[in-house]
Structure formats: structure tokens, C-alpha cells
Amino acid sequence: MLRTHTCGELRLDHVNQEVRLAGWVQRVRNKGGLIWVDLRDRYGLTQLIFEEDSSEKALLEKAAELGREFVVQATGKVIERTSKNDKIPTGSIEIKVTALEVLNAAKVPPFIIEDETDGGDELRMKYRYLDLRRNVVREKLQLRHKMMQETRKYMDAQDFIEVETPVLIKSTPEGARDFVVPSRTNPGEFYALPQSPQTFKQLLMVSGFDRYFQIVKCFRDEDLRADRQPEFTQIDCEMAFVDQEDILNTFEGLTKHLFKNVKGVELEEVKRMTYADAMKFYGNDKPDVRFDMKFVELNELAQGKGFSIFDSAELVVGICAKGAAEYTRKQLDALTDWVKRPQIGAKGMVYAKYNADGTIKSTVDKFFSADDLQDWADAFGATQGDLMLILSGDADKVRKQLSELRLKMGEDLGLRDRSIFKPLWVMDFPLLEWDEETARFHAMHHPFTSPKKEDMALLDTDPGAVRANAYDLVINGVEIGGGSIRIHDRATQQLMFKHLGFSEEEAQKQFGFLMEAFEYGAPPHGGIAFGFDRLCAIFGGSDSIRDYIAFPKNNSGRDVMIDSPSSIADEQLKELSIQLAVKS
């Protein structure tokens, strides 16, 4: 080995030992006849010392020539530091160097490789292999590693079998655009990269593998944002001979196991909420329940008083921000401007302050009496010092607008504490959702989700009212995982395809293999998939998943480090029977 110890290992117990370290030069401090070098590896940092009176002149000159990120090997004796550094674990010792070898010199790096760097996002993405040397980035990858190991440990203990499924599959409609791969040996035909291993894990249940999981790479050609990458990782799971309760309990167990063994956090029981209640009280199917601020509907109290904006609205609804009555007019005007931004889309905002003297001051005082405003306060459960914020308009739109306002108020009032974790099961999603563009229903989750038995009759009369045996795990307002009990018989699956607008021929072409498998004794089954990158970001206290992926893409889906995607040679296109006609 080129080293006897790592750069994070040595302590006072090692004093007077002869050691050999290898790593990267973090920085050099040259005082003429005295040189200190901070040597770094993935385990930590150790200070090296070169002294003119005790070192050979050639050794001191060699140390003076070192630059940032040089790879070196240093041999010497561990000594106690006279000026200790309590900010690092090795801060009580240093190495008095007797031999130094430069294993590889380095160019001056394009940014400072320290926790506080001067490199912007794009520059650090281009030199990601350098960015990964920084502690703050490496620690995120180490967290990811631990999450993977603990997931495997829990799943193995629950008798799950880890099975790898194919990466080159058939293109099937699952909600997002596929990435496609041309087949050289089958001209004009294409593979697709899997959006998820959905059909394969169901086939594994048909095969008798009654507990499957996989930490699997998935691919979706979607517009990107902070919590979305074109390739991402799922903890993909499926179970046979179970009902919904079994799945919720099993994966609530996984969630608690990860929090306990990775974060040292003992989670309380995971609460449950129906989709209908989530939309009614939070305007969001992934509500952040770290704070309350539930929606209160005011139609009965606010309409018919001559205020036309409320009178013409389908829904008048608001939230109560506890203790926020001291917001100034300037703050409230800024809040009104915020909800009127195109991204939110509200036409305006009404507020009512419940003042410390017991009076209620509103922007619509001339339309509503003091008694009317007191009725509002009673409906909100408001007390002196609270602020009521009210929006109105089309029901679906105004709920989404108020959801954004609620989250903003939660942030502004310090109620979204990253050290607090509030997981929630959201259940009983609609099976289908109407799409205005295509003028037909689409599966809210995917076409293999089973409807609730008691709602089956509604498929023909009121498809939009049919509830699914589907569930999402939400943590702090972020959807971490989702799943369902699956359809496991051919007749129901064909009926589902029919209501999704598939002809019998289309259904057979796309999913004939699955429906045929259902005729060979398919057990009842269901499962869930966790967004592993998002889960890591939640554990690490981040909004973006990018730092938890070793080599991520930017917001244009590009890897700027290796310059991908890129064009390919005409000869390759010819082999693939592809002719390009790129529109400018």
C-alpha cells in the first residue's frame, strides 16, 4: 500500500509512530524556513510540517514547489501540535515529514476545492470529478451509499429478493416520453429505456417471486427541475398475496428503518389522509403537514354581501396565519403581488387582520360588517394577532393558488423546519383523470392500478368518480413514493384499457404479453416505488437531487463534463438504418 494510514485517522495515540500518508494537497502555507501542507483524502485532512533546521534543504525546496491538488506521498513521524485545531479530528497532531514524493502534479484547479468554493454550478458540473473532492459533496454521496445499504438490509430481512430487470425494453405509454434506442439488427425498430420496471415486477409476481425489490435506474424524457433528472433511481418493490394494508405497513417499516439507522430519528406513526381531504384542506395531493394552516371555505359567509368578486366565484377559501396580524401594509401588498404573478395566477387577495384590541380590519370593510368579519374569524378559529388570507375564483385553480400561498406563509413564518420530518400516506386517489387536450380519461397513476371494488360500477356511469387502490408516501410536502394494488386478471385489465381509450388491437399490441400472463394463474399483488434520489435529498436537507447523483445532468439534460448528448458518425447512423432530418 502507498499509505499506512488515512488522512483522517491519526490521533495523539499515534505520536512517535512512523507513518506514510498519500492524498491531495489542500493548501500550502510557506513561512520561509517553515512550511505547512494540508494533505487531504476522502477520510479527512492531516497537517504536514517541514522545518529548515530539521529537514534536508532539498526536502524543504520540494515542499515549496507543491501546488493545490498535487497528489503526494509523505513519510514521517507523528508529533503533537503546539497550536491545536479543534475544528478537525486530526487537529491535535501533525506529521514531521522525512520523505516526500510527488505522485502526480496538478494544474491550478478552475475553482477552490473547499466547502466554501468560488465555483458556480455550471463550472462545477463541467469539472464534476473535482467537485466530488469537496467534503460537502462527497458527504452527500456517502449518505446515498448508506441509504442503499440500509435499504438492502431491511428488504433482505423481510424476505425480499433483489432481481435485475432489463434496461432495453418495449416502448409503452406510462405517462412520460420514452428515451428510445434504435436496434441495428432489427432495422426500423426501437427499444425504449424503462420509465419503471412496472410490467416486469408484475410478471415476477406471476412467476412466484412473491417479494421483489430492486434499486433500479429509470429514464423519462421530461422537462427538468430541481427534483427531476432524465435518469433517476427508484427503490422498486412488489408483493404478492397481500392487500393494501400489508404494503403500507411493510414500507412504513422501511421508512422508519432508514430514518432510525441513517438519521438517528425515531419516526412517529405515519398518519393517513384521503386524496379528497388533501385537496379540500391543502389544495395539494402532497401536503406539507409540519404545520396546520388548513383551508377554510367561506362561500356561505362571504357571498351575497354585494362584493362581486366573491359573489361570482365558484369558491371563496382562505387560510389563517397564526400570529401574523402585525404584517405591514407593505408586506401585504408584496404578498398580493406575489399571488398575482403568472406562476400563481390569482387575480387578487383579500386579507383580514384580527388586531390585538379585538377589532378586525379587512380590505373589504365596506362590504362586510364587524359581525360578518367576526363570523369569518370564528370559521378560521382565529384569535387576536392572527392574519386571514382569502382567495376566490374557479375551485380547482383557487385551491392550487392557495396551496402555493400556504407554503410561502409556512416558509416565511419559519414553520417548515428541515430538522422535523412528518411523513404521510395519501390514499384513495382517483383512478382516472380527464385530459382536455385529448378529450379522454388517462390513468392518474398507470393503467395497471386496480379500482376499488365498491366503485367498479361507476366505470360506465361516472369514470371520474372511481377511486383507485393507490397510495403515495409524502414527507414534508415532497412525494417520496407511490404505488397501488394492481389488476391481476385479464378481464379487468381489458376493461381498464377500454376506458383509457385503447382499442382491443392497441391493447394487445402494447400489453398482450401481460394479459396473457394473467391467464396463467396471476396472484393478487401490489407494490410501491420510492424516488431514491428525492429520499436522499430529504435526508440531506436539500431541495435539489443533483448533489446526490455522482454525475448529474444540467437543466437542459446535458452532461457538460463529457459533452453529452452529442452527434454520432454518419457510419453509425447508416448501420442503424437511420436518416436524420433535424428541424432548425
Side-chain angles (χ1 to χ4, degrees):
M1 295 287 286
L2 295 182
R3 58 190 178 187
T4 58
H5 298 79
T6 70
C7 293
E9 187 176 351
L10 298 172
R11 302 290 188 272
L12 285 173
D13 292 345
H14 298 92
V15 166
N16 292 324
Q17 288 189 24
E18 194 78 17
V19 298
R20 188 167 62 250
L21 303 182
W24 287 263
V25 173
Q26 177 89 10
R27 67 174 71 87
V28 178
R29 299 185 299 285
N30 191 336
K31 299 296 183 181
L34 189 62
I35 296 175
W36 290 281
V37 174
D38 290 342
L39 192 66
R40 181 196 72 238
D41 62 14
R42 63 170 270 209
Y43 304 97
L45 183 145
T46 297
Q47 180 172 284
L48 313 180
I49 185 170
F50 300 80
E51 294 182 273
E52 188 173 31
D53 57 354
S54 61
S55 302
E56 297 178 13
K57 184 178 180 181
L59 185 60
L60 196 67
E61 290 174 350
K62 200 171 188 180
E65 292 174 356
L66 295 177
R68 283 181 178 265
E69 302 308 310
F70 275 43
V71 184
V72 303
Q73 181 191 58
T75 303
K77 183 182 288 187
V78 182
I79 63 173
E80 184 174 357
R81 283 174 66 163
T82 54
S83 178
K84 294 181 173 57
N85 181 354
D86 59 5
K87 294 181 180 179
I88 58 173
T90 60
S92 296
I93 60 93
E94 59 191 353
I95 310 300
K96 182 177 282 189
V97 178
T98 56
L100 177 69
E101 182 179 352
V102 176
L103 302 175
N104 209 337
K107 295 195 297 183
V108 176
F111 53 87
I112 296 172
I113 300 174
E114 295 182 13
D115 290 358
E116 295 297 324
T117 183
D118 58 351
D121 285 349
E122 201 72 6
L123 183 65
R124 289 187 291 109
M125 289 275 280
K126 183 177 180 180
Y127 296 95
R128 180 64 169 173
Y129 49 87
L130 298 180
D131 197 32
L132 288 169
R133 293 181 188 174
R134 296 169 58 229
N135 289 330
V136 291
V137 181
R138 188 185 63 252
E139 286 165 3
K140 289 177 170 62
L141 271 294
Q142 289 173 330
L143 171 67
R144 184 186 181 96
H145 164 77
K146 190 167 185 181
M147 297 275 285
M148 280 191 171
Q149 302 315 307
E150 290 297 335
T151 296
R152 288 192 164 99
K153 189 185 299 182
Y154 176 86
M155 299 301 279
D156 182 61
Q158 300 294 319
D159 291 329
F160 282 81
I161 299 174
E162 187 168 7
V163 182
E164 293 178 278
T165 53
V167 174
L168 295 175
I169 67 167
K170 181 178 185 176
S171 180
T172 57
E174 289 191 38
R177 284 182 295 273
D178 288 326
F179 284 102
V180 294
V181 181
S183 170
R184 179 185 58 81
T185 54
N186 300 277
E189 296 185 315
F190 294 81
Y191 300 105
L193 302 181
Q195 295 183 32
S196 75
Q198 182 60 46
T199 54
F200 287 102
K201 65 182 181 181
Q202 290 191 249
L203 291 169
L204 284 169
M205 297 303 101
V206 178
S207 305
F209 289 73
D210 64 351
R211 291 193 167 204
Y212 143 91
F213 89 101
Q214 184 181 188
I215 300 177
V216 59
K217 192 70 77 178
C218 301
F219 307 86
R220 292 179 187 172
D221 187 6
E222 298 179 298
D223 295 332
L224 304 182
R225 58 189 186 212
D227 65 347
R228 185 182 285 169
Q229 284 272 299
E231 50 184 310
F232 57 96
T233 304
Q234 286 185 177
I235 308 173
D236 199 56
C237 315
E238 200 79 3
M239 303 171 72
F241 301 112
V242 292
D243 58 22
Q244 181 171 289
E245 193 66 23
D246 298 315
I247 292 174
L248 298 185
N249 290 334
T250 299
F251 293 103
E252 185 171 318
L254 171 61
T255 307
K256 289 180 176 179
H257 174 88
L258 291 175
F259 270 99
K260 180 178 179 180
N261 291 282
V262 178
K263 291 287 290 181
V265 172
E266 294 278 357
L267 279 188
E268 60 189 36
E269 182 182 358
V270 181
K271 294 183 179 179
R272 302 181 182 187
M273 183 183 298
T274 65
Y275 170 87
D277 281 349
M279 297 306 294
K280 179 177 181 179
F281 295 117
Y282 300 97
N284 196 322
D285 62 4
K286 45 184 185 294
D288 186 344
V289 292
R290 282 175 293 181
F291 62 104
D292 194 17
M293 219 179 288
K294 286 183 180 178
F295 291 8
V296 174
E297 297 180 6
L298 297 172
N299 286 41
E300 290 186 10
L301 298 177
Q303 291 182 324
K305 303 289 185 177
F307 184 49
S308 61
I309 293 174
F310 281 179
D311 291 345
S312 62
E314 183 181 1
L315 178 65
V316 182
V317 63
I319 54 175
C320 177
K322 306 297 288 184
E326 292 187 2
Y327 263 44
T328 65
R329 178 62 183 267
K330 183 178 179 181
Q331 286 176 297
L332 289 165
D333 286 347
L335 208 54
T336 302
D337 290 340
W338 189 86
V339 298
K340 290 167 73 174
R341 295 181 312 151
Q343 301 95 311
I344 308 298
K347 293 179 180 178
M349 182 184 76
V350 169
Y351 66 82
K353 289 183 175 186
Y354 202 144
N355 296 314
D357 62 6
T359 62
I360 301 176
K361 179 66 177 173
S362 167
T363 43
V364 289
D365 283 347
K366 67 179 181 179
F367 296 100
F368 298 91
S369 67
D371 288 342
D372 291 331
L373 297 178
Q374 185 61 54
D375 288 341
W376 290 11
D378 293 343
F380 279 112
T383 55
Q384 293 174 14
D386 293 346
L387 175 66
M388 294 164 272
L389 304 173
I390 301 159
L391 302 180
S392 61
D394 296 337
D396 289 344
K397 289 181 180 179
V398 81
R399 282 197 175 98
K400 289 178 183 177
Q401 293 158 3
L402 190 60
S403 173
E404 295 295 330
L405 178 58
R406 174 184 178 271
L407 292 174
K408 177 173 174 55
M409 292 303 296
E411 192 72 44
D412 291 351
L413 296 172
L415 304 175
R416 303 183 73 186
D417 186 341
R418 289 182 187 273
S419 67
I420 295 173
F421 301 95
K422 292 287 186 180
L424 174 75
W425 287 112
V426 179
M427 305 161 61
D428 298 350
F429 281 81
L431 181 71
L432 306 168
E433 57 184 343
W434 182 257
D435 182 64
E436 293 290 347
E437 285 188 24
T438 58
R440 67 183 180 88
F441 282 104
H442 289 260
M444 180 168 269
H445 278 72
H446 53 59
F448 318 107
T449 299
S450 70
K452 287 190 171 290
K453 289 181 180 178
E454 59 268 33
D455 290 356
M456 283 288 289
L458 295 173
L459 272 172
D460 290 321
T461 58
D462 189 5
V466 179
R467 294 168 299 158
N469 282 313
Y471 34 84
D472 281 357
L473 180 65
V474 176
I475 301 178
N476 295 358
V478 177
E479 181 193 332
I480 293 299
S484 64
I485 299 298
R486 324 299 188 189
I487 296 167
H488 68 279
D489 65 282
R490 181 172 190 132
T492 306
Q493 190 63 73
Q494 281 182 315
L495 181 64
M496 182 67 169
F497 287 142
K498 176 186 172 183
H499 284 283
L500 291 172
F502 286 77
S503 67
E504 286 191 27
E505 294 76 18
E506 287 172 328
Q508 183 62 33
K509 181 180 179 182
Q510 295 280 1
F511 300 108
F513 66 93
L514 184 64
M515 290 191 292
E516 184 177 16
F518 286 167
E519 296 183 291
Y520 286 94
H525 59 279
I528 193 169
F530 288 82
F532 184 66
D533 311 294
R534 289 185 186 179
L535 196 57
C536 289
I538 283 281
F539 273 57
S542 303
D543 292 322
S544 173
I545 65 174
R546 187 180 290 170
D547 279 345
Y548 299 85
I549 298 171
F551 299 102
K553 308 289 189 292
N554 67 11
N555 287 342
S556 300
R558 295 196 67 82
D559 185 329
V560 294
M561 183 182 67
I562 63 172
D563 192 23
S564 172
S566 60
S567 58
I568 61 174
D570 290 341
E571 189 60 34
Q572 285 180 281
L573 291 171
K574 186 176 179 182
E575 281 185 336
L576 295 167
S577 304
I578 290 177
Q579 185 175 359
L580 291 182
V582 180
K583 295 180 180 178
S584 58

